[in-house]
Amino acid sequence: MALGFGAFTSPAISQEGDDASEPTQAEIAAIDEEQEVHDTAHFPLKKPELLNWSFAGIFGRYDLPQLQRGFQVYREVCASCHGLEYVAFRNFQGHSGLGYSEAEVKALAAEYQITAGPNDEGDMFERPGIPADRFPSPFPNVQAAAAANGGAAPPDLSLMAKARGASRGPVWTVLDFFTQYQEAGPDYMHALLTGYGEEPPHGIEVAEGTYYNPYFLAGVSLAMPPPLSDGIVTYSDGSPETIDQYSRDVSAFLMWAAEPHLVERKRLGFQVGIFLIVFAGLMYLTKKRVWAREAH
């Protein structure tokens, strides 16, 4: 399966030839629609829906069961093509991770074969993983990844939730600073994963071997086929086994992978904010007391 959040695109806006006959009203409307698409061919063609995430806002925190489901989707669907280069197995332990115990993390790491070495003879060798290891890449190198996926190397997903996101414009960018909106990456990934299956608008030409997706940031189509389908992953907690749920869960997991200390950062930021407010008040009162008897 060739998965990729932007590894390859081949979009084209079709140009229709001139017609000597007078165009009908329907043809004029179609030409106007095509011209509008051509004139505004900035991507994505559709803006991702803003979803409600447990980790949104100042007091947001990760939903551990959702992260575990997302990791299951990653392992069973995405891991065949996408790596997690910057995520170590030990990051999964405890409440700052995915809630796994030390024994569970060790068992998880041991399921993977890690290339290590060199040994005393100067040769590399394979060994079972340990918690300190990072997730191994599904391919030995970028060239092998590209060769196995039609010339497009699937990107690593470790930081994808922070690296991708549809622009919301200058006004919203300023407002997002105050509202602490940081979910553009998960919103985009959910939209992309659920955005397959729509018919391209009139005037949009989809290159052979690519798949139309109006939420793709780099064009009208991408090389990644629809990776999810209803029932492809079996959940043990009774959660819906739908494309929408899979997309939400894996997007939340990838947000955690990109920023595992988000909850701690928000907590520290809130504490520092309270301290600065109290400190400013004390400084104001001190200033008033020190200068109370001085003439102004």
Side-chain angles (χ1 to χ4, degrees):
M1 182 183 297
L3 297 175
F5 285 90
F8 172 77
T9 177
S10 182
I13 306 296
S14 64
Q15 302 293 328
E16 299 181 1
D18 296 332
D19 195 333
S21 61
E22 285 293 324
T24 65
Q25 289 298 116
E27 290 173 334
I28 292 175
I31 292 173
D32 289 342
E33 179 183 354
E34 176 183 343
Q35 187 62 40
E36 182 179 356
V37 171
H38 178 75
D39 292 341
T40 61
H42 50 77
F43 306 108
L45 297 179
K46 289 185 177 181
K47 295 292 186 181
E49 177 186 358
L50 302 185
L51 302 178
N52 293 321
W53 300 98
S54 65
F55 48 83
I58 298 175
F59 302 105
R61 55 193 312 109
Y62 289 121
D63 179 358
L64 294 185
Q66 182 179 47
L67 297 186
Q68 293 175 5
R69 293 195 304 269
F71 175 53
Q72 182 182 353
V73 175
Y74 167 77
R75 289 191 72 185
E76 297 185 19
V77 179
C78 311
S80 60
C81 295
H82 295 277
L84 284 176
E85 179 183 358
Y86 301 109
V87 178
F89 295 108
R90 63 186 175 192
N91 296 142
F92 283 32
Q93 184 175 336
H95 291 289
S96 62
L98 269 61
Y100 294 153
S101 66
E102 181 179 357
E104 289 174 323
V105 170
K106 289 182 178 179
L108 172 65
E111 295 178 14
Y112 292 82
Q113 290 295 310
I114 306 298
T115 300
N119 57 20
D120 294 339
E121 287 73 35
D123 299 322
M124 304 299 288
F125 60 93
E126 299 285 323
R127 60 162 175 79
I130 59 175
D133 290 325
R134 295 181 178 181
F135 273 83
S137 172
F139 302 101
N141 50 60
V142 175
Q143 291 75 13
N149 291 278
D156 184 85
L157 297 184
S158 303
L159 304 177
M160 191 59 64
K162 305 297 286 186
R164 297 288 188 274
S167 173
R168 284 159 50 85
V171 175
W172 277 109
T173 299
V174 174
L175 293 177
D176 289 344
F177 174 81
F178 296 99
T179 62
Q180 291 293 292
Y181 173 74
Q182 304 173 67
E183 299 81 56
D187 285 340
Y188 167 68
M189 288 187 290
H190 173 271
L192 185 73
L193 291 171
T194 58
Y196 290 95
E198 297 186 23
E199 288 296 322
H202 180 79
I204 294 292
E205 180 182 328
V206 178
E208 183 178 357
T210 64
Y211 302 84
Y212 173 71
N213 194 315
Y215 298 101
F216 186 41
L217 284 175
V220 299
S221 62
L222 68 164
M224 179 176 72
L228 299 173
S229 59
D230 291 343
I232 194 174
V233 176
T234 302
Y235 285 151
S236 61
D237 63 356
S239 296
E241 297 173 2
T242 62
I243 295 177
D244 178 72
Q245 189 64 49
Y246 295 149
S247 301
R248 289 174 184 267
D249 293 343
V250 76
S251 297
F253 167 71
L254 292 177
M255 180 64 180
W256 171 86
E259 193 167 2
H261 302 295
L262 176 141
V263 176
E264 291 83 352
R265 177 175 61 79
K266 288 184 176 183
R267 183 186 301 117
L268 179 60
F270 179 75
Q271 293 170 347
V272 170
I274 295 298
F275 167 78
L276 292 177
I277 292 173
V278 174
F279 181 73
L282 292 175
M283 290 298 99
Y284 174 76
L285 295 176
T286 301
K287 179 260 184 187
K288 293 280 290 183
R289 182 177 180 84
V290 169
W291 296 95
R293 299 180 181 179
E294 296 293 331
H296 296 286

